[in-house]
Amino acid sequence: MTDETPGESPDRSPQAPAELMEELEEAAGTDPSIQKVLDRLVERLVDVLPVTGAGVMLVDERQRLHFVAASDDTMMAIEELQNTLDEGPCLEAHATGEAVAINDVEHDQRFPLFSPRASAEGLGAIFVFPLALDGDRLGALDVYRDTPGPLNDEDLQTAQVLADVAAAYLVNAQARIDASETVARLSHLHLHDPLTGLPNRTLFEERLEQAIARARRSHLVAAVLFADLDGFKEVNDHYGHEVGDELLCAAATRLASALRPGDTVARLGGDEFVVICEDLHEEAEAERVAERLTTALATPFELSGGQRVALTASLGLAFSGPERDTTRALLRDADFAMYQAKHRGGGHHQVLNVAARSAADRRERLERDLRHAQDRDELALAYQPIVDLRSGELAAVEALLRWDHPDRGRVMPDVVIPSAERTGLIRSVGEWSLRQACLDLRRWSALGLTVPQVAVNVSALQVADPTFARTVERVLADTGADPGSVCIEVTERAFLVDTPRVHAVLEEVQSFGVRLSLDDFGTGYSSLNYLRQFPFHAVKIDHSFTSALSTDQVTRSVVRAMIDLGHVLGLTVTVEGVETPLHLEEVSALGADHAQGFHVGHPVAAEQLAAGLPGPAVLLSAPETG
Ligand code: C2E
Ligand code: MG
Ligand code: MG
């Protein structure tokens, strides 16, 4: 106390502070709202202490004090006067952290502005106790009497104890509220998509896991519907991201409203939404949900900028079951089915096609294995002879890639090359083929065997890669192979991609002295133009023509024209697919320079080829094994 002396306390209710505290604690326990506890506090203060009224003031962010609980309206005068006059016992107690007593308001000198006005409001004595905890000043607990006179020591102590209890309670309650609000906010943020407010991937996966477990127990089925908006990217590009976002929100709302109460719709990201449908007795029920979702999107969206956007979605459906009993598997398969739906042109739903799924699985496994094929020494080259039709001698050998898979046996290039292209392994696989062919060329030469040329196939992706020429240069340097004995076979498909770049790459490769040959000629990409423009030395007529040579006059004329064209352009012409003596006779008669095919020789391992060199007669070797 900073003023006055304690006096006698008048009669009052005999309740001890300990009991009041217990009561407050109980109130806090059963009803943790701050307001209710404070209301109870002021109500009981008036019973416990010899006072007329009581109140609790809290300080706001502008350091002004406000009553948050008051036993009567007179208390409000205390607040108002102090805030207008900027003077008074509560401000003082709050500022100093000390209790303030005005035993006789009418004759008080300490607050010359405040006290006369307070007295006029009917206040006889005012006692203020700071609300503070660990140095944090929260406000003040005030009591007043309508008649002057001090509080005795015991009452002063009781009031201060109650003020401390209230402060502790306030701090704890606020901390609890802050903490629970923070937890709620964070968990919402953590589990929801900020744009649409829908559950995000984390929450979706959690719910799906539960749905799968329930389906397993109940012997019913859970379905995942994977929806991807068709052409959303174009909307985004055309109208901008804000419109895109608005559209996503609108689509989310429509999807959500088309569902049954227990179903979950979540946004995985971008324009991908997923729905979980539970307790299905038959798959058709989920298909009906898919139809409802499709219908929900069917009406064009009217956006706030006045745009009218029509939208469809591709939906994929997959069902829980032994094959799909994890969130990962179920989501992956619904995604896969969605791609199948997209493939059909969008705007549809598609139930997972299990056969296509297993084919994709096999392909994925193969792609994984291919990553290790090189390290594990599983790649090999088979060499197929190419003969000079005039001399009958070996003109070249073509290197053909083989992969000896530990479980599947020999995997042919029609599988390996697309896998390598999809996985980006084509660069290293391609380099391996070239290097191995150059090394074999050196080895044969060291053995005194004559192999005039080795042809190595390269894929369209390789020649579109600006680093390809560097790779060829490096391999030639590393292996010491004679560039003039190396031929690079480029498939016609290479000319589907950015031709100026391919042109530049091929020009550079040719500048090393390497020969270039256009492979698969005539298979349909009208490469006549390229034949003229690009620095080719040779052209290979695809084997699909050869088989029809003896039966089809038109084919024969076409092949003749292709051979003549090649010659006009100064190219060496090889005909592939020579499988019979008749084929050999015919391609010879048509004027081809070289022939390749099973009749001339099957692809064989490097050692086998070496054993049969050099006479063309012995080239008629047995098919490769493996
Ligand atoms: P390609 O360059 O046209 O190679 C000729 C293909 O025809 C080879 O198939 C060969 O085994 C096959 N063949 C040979 N003689 C005959 C015959 O008389 N009749 C028939 N019907 N076919 C015959 P393979 O080895 O399966 O290779 C297929 C294709 O894979 C090759 O076609 C080539 O484009 C590509 N390829 C092979 N090795 C590589 C490589 O290391 N890298 C790249 N990028 N592609 C390669
Ligand atoms: Mg080839
Ligand atoms: Mg070919």
Side-chain angles (χ1 to χ4, degrees):
M1 276 286 138
T2 56
D3 198 9
E4 312 281 336
T5 40
E8 281 304 299
S9 75
D11 274 1
R12 58 178 160 98
S13 148
Q15 195 165 15
E19 283 160 57
L20 178 53
M21 270 155 56
E22 249 170 52
E23 199 187 324
L24 284 175
E25 257 164 45
E26 201 180 305
T30 52
D31 185 348
S33 117
I34 296 182
Q35 188 62 55
K36 292 227 166 116
V37 174
L38 295 181
D39 286 346
R40 182 77 70 96
L41 173 66
V42 296
E43 195 182 295
R44 304 299 288 132
L45 270 170
V46 180
D47 293 343
V48 174
L49 297 176
V51 295
T52 316
V56 173
M57 298 180 106
L58 293 183
V59 66
D60 67 12
E61 50 297 351
R62 283 155 51 222
Q63 292 302 307
R64 290 162 69 96
L65 287 162
H66 298 285
F67 276 110
V68 290
S71 62
D72 60 52
D73 288 348
T74 312
M75 297 301 301
M76 293 306 165
I78 299 182
E79 173 187 323
E80 206 191 315
L81 284 176
Q82 291 184 98
N83 284 333
T84 17
L85 303 171
D86 203 19
E87 180 196 277
C90 304
L91 291 175
E92 178 82 3
H94 178 63
T96 61
E98 303 263 338
V100 176
I102 314 175
N103 291 338
D104 181 356
V105 176
E106 195 187 346
H107 300 104
D108 173 61
Q109 307 293 314
R110 245 174 108 186
F111 304 104
L113 300 174
F114 170 82
S115 290
R117 310 245 326 241
S119 174
E121 295 279 347
L123 295 152
I126 301 176
F127 308 91
V128 183
F129 306 86
L131 286 183
L133 190 78
D134 299 338
D136 270 347
R137 305 216 180 129
L138 310 168
L141 181 134
D142 308 24
V143 290
Y144 84 94
R145 281 153 62 153
D146 47 10
T147 51
L151 289 179
N152 69 22
D153 273 352
E154 196 190 326
D155 290 338
L156 290 172
Q157 233 170 3
T158 300
Q160 185 60 63
V161 167
L162 287 172
D164 292 345
V165 169
Y169 173 73
L170 279 171
V171 169
N172 284 335
Q174 194 53 53
R176 263 206 315 275
I177 288 172
D178 286 351
S180 68
E181 274 175 0
T182 309
V183 168
R185 199 156 32 85
L186 286 182
S187 78
H188 189 87
L189 273 184
H190 177 62
L191 297 174
H192 291 80
D193 163 38
L195 178 66
T196 60
L198 293 181
N200 64 9
R201 184 184 285 271
T202 311
L203 183 54
F204 166 77
E205 285 180 354
E206 212 169 88
R207 294 210 183 146
L208 184 56
E209 201 166 304
Q210 292 159 0
I212 292 172
R214 274 196 293 270
R216 215 180 288 136
R217 283 196 302 271
S218 67
H219 303 293
L220 294 174
V221 170
V224 169
L225 283 76
F226 199 116
D228 186 286
L229 305 182
D230 302 319
F232 177 73
K233 192 185 169 301
E234 285 68 32
V235 173
N236 231 357
D237 291 349
H238 189 259
Y239 294 110
H241 286 266
E242 265 176 40
V243 170
D245 284 356
E246 193 186 343
L247 188 61
L248 285 175
C249 290
T253 308
R254 287 205 198 168
L255 292 176
S257 61
L259 293 178
R260 306 173 305 179
D263 298 338
T264 294
V265 59
R267 176 169 174 244
L268 293 189
D271 59 346
E272 291 179 344
F273 296 89
V274 274
V275 173
I276 307 171
C277 294
E278 288 195 65
D279 300 333
L280 302 173
H281 294 90
E282 48 165 11
E283 298 190 349
E285 287 175 44
E287 288 203 66
R288 284 196 287 279
V289 175
E291 276 156 22
R292 278 210 306 279
L293 294 176
T294 303
T295 312
L297 296 177
T299 324
F301 290 83
E302 309 277 355
L303 301 178
S304 58
Q307 303 88 348
R308 195 177 146 85
V309 181
L311 199 67
T312 58
S314 296
L315 284 145
L317 279 78
F319 299 94
S320 67
E323 298 274 281
R324 277 163 291 282
D325 67 345
T326 61
T327 51
R328 214 180 133 267
L330 193 46
L331 187 60
R332 184 203 59 183
D333 285 359
D335 185 19
F336 184 83
M338 183 278 290
Y339 270 100
Q340 292 181 313
K342 269 238 184 280
H343 223 73
R344 285 173 50 208
H348 297 282
H349 74 262
Q350 164 86 48
V351 175
L352 176 74
N353 175 336
V354 177
R357 171 74 256 176
S358 2
D361 273 347
R362 270 201 307 281
R363 204 172 54 226
E364 276 168 27
R365 263 200 303 280
L366 198 73
E367 287 173 5
R368 264 202 310 278
D369 293 347
L370 185 58
R371 293 186 188 282
H372 308 291
Q374 235 167 300
D375 311 336
R376 295 178 185 162
D377 225 8
E378 292 166 3
L379 298 183
L381 290 179
Y383 290 97
Q384 187 175 31
I386 298 169
V387 287
D388 184 315
L389 285 168
R390 263 173 295 279
S391 67
E393 307 226 319
L394 182 70
V397 292
E398 179 174 2
L400 297 162
L401 184 66
R402 303 292 181 256
W403 175 18
D404 291 314
H405 189 282
D407 307 324
R408 289 199 214 182
R410 180 149 278 197
V411 187
M412 299 304 270
D414 57 336
V415 174
V416 184
I417 299 301
S419 282
E421 289 183 335
R422 275 195 302 272
T423 50
L425 291 167
I426 189 66
R427 228 196 238 195
S428 68
V429 168
E431 179 169 347
W432 180 88
S433 292
L434 182 64
R435 188 176 294 273
Q436 190 58 44
C438 289
L439 288 173
D440 285 338
L441 190 69
R442 288 292 307 251
R443 206 165 299 139
W444 292 320
S445 153
L447 290 170
L449 304 168
T450 313
V451 176
Q453 202 167 75
V454 66
V456 180
N457 293 282
V458 297
S459 89
L461 282 188
Q462 282 173 279
V463 286
D465 176 357
T467 68
F468 178 66
R470 293 277 80 73
T471 304
V472 174
E473 193 178 30
R474 190 173 58 240
V475 170
L476 289 173
D478 290 352
T479 58
D482 166 25
S485 300
V486 175
C487 176
I488 299 229
E489 291 194 6
V490 187
T491 167
E492 268 198 345
R493 269 169 301 150
F495 300 96
L496 284 179
V497 293
D498 182 5
T499 26
R501 189 154 65 176
V502 173
H503 199 159
V505 168
L506 292 183
E507 286 280 3
E508 198 175 353
V509 168
Q510 189 249 11
S511 75
F512 306 145
V514 167
R515 296 170 70 80
L516 294 176
S517 159
L518 181 70
D519 204 355
D520 310 325
F521 185 51
T523 49
Y525 297 108
S526 96
S527 43
L528 222 152
N529 229 3
Y530 304 130
L531 260 189
R532 275 188 328 142
Q533 287 172 17
F534 285 77
F536 287 113
H537 301 89
V539 59
K540 297 182 81 172
I541 296 172
D542 193 68
H543 59 75
S544 53
F545 291 93
T546 317
S547 47
L549 268 185
S550 40
T551 51
D552 181 13
Q553 271 307 317
V554 178
T555 303
R556 182 193 296 269
S557 312
V558 169
V559 171
R560 186 197 301 278
M562 290 200 290
I563 293 170
D564 290 348
L565 175 80
H567 287 159
V568 168
L569 294 170
L571 307 173
T572 304
V573 180
T574 302
V575 177
E576 294 188 280
V578 173
E579 292 181 346
T580 64
L582 188 61
H583 286 161
L584 193 65
E585 219 170 89
E586 275 169 326
V587 300
S588 245
L590 290 171
D593 304 296
H594 295 164
Q596 177 180 0
F598 297 156
H599 176 63
V600 176
H602 282 272
V604 292
E607 301 71 39
Q608 226 176 320
L609 183 87
L613 286 175
V618 273
L619 283 174
L620 298 166
S621 49
E624 57 189 306
T625 49

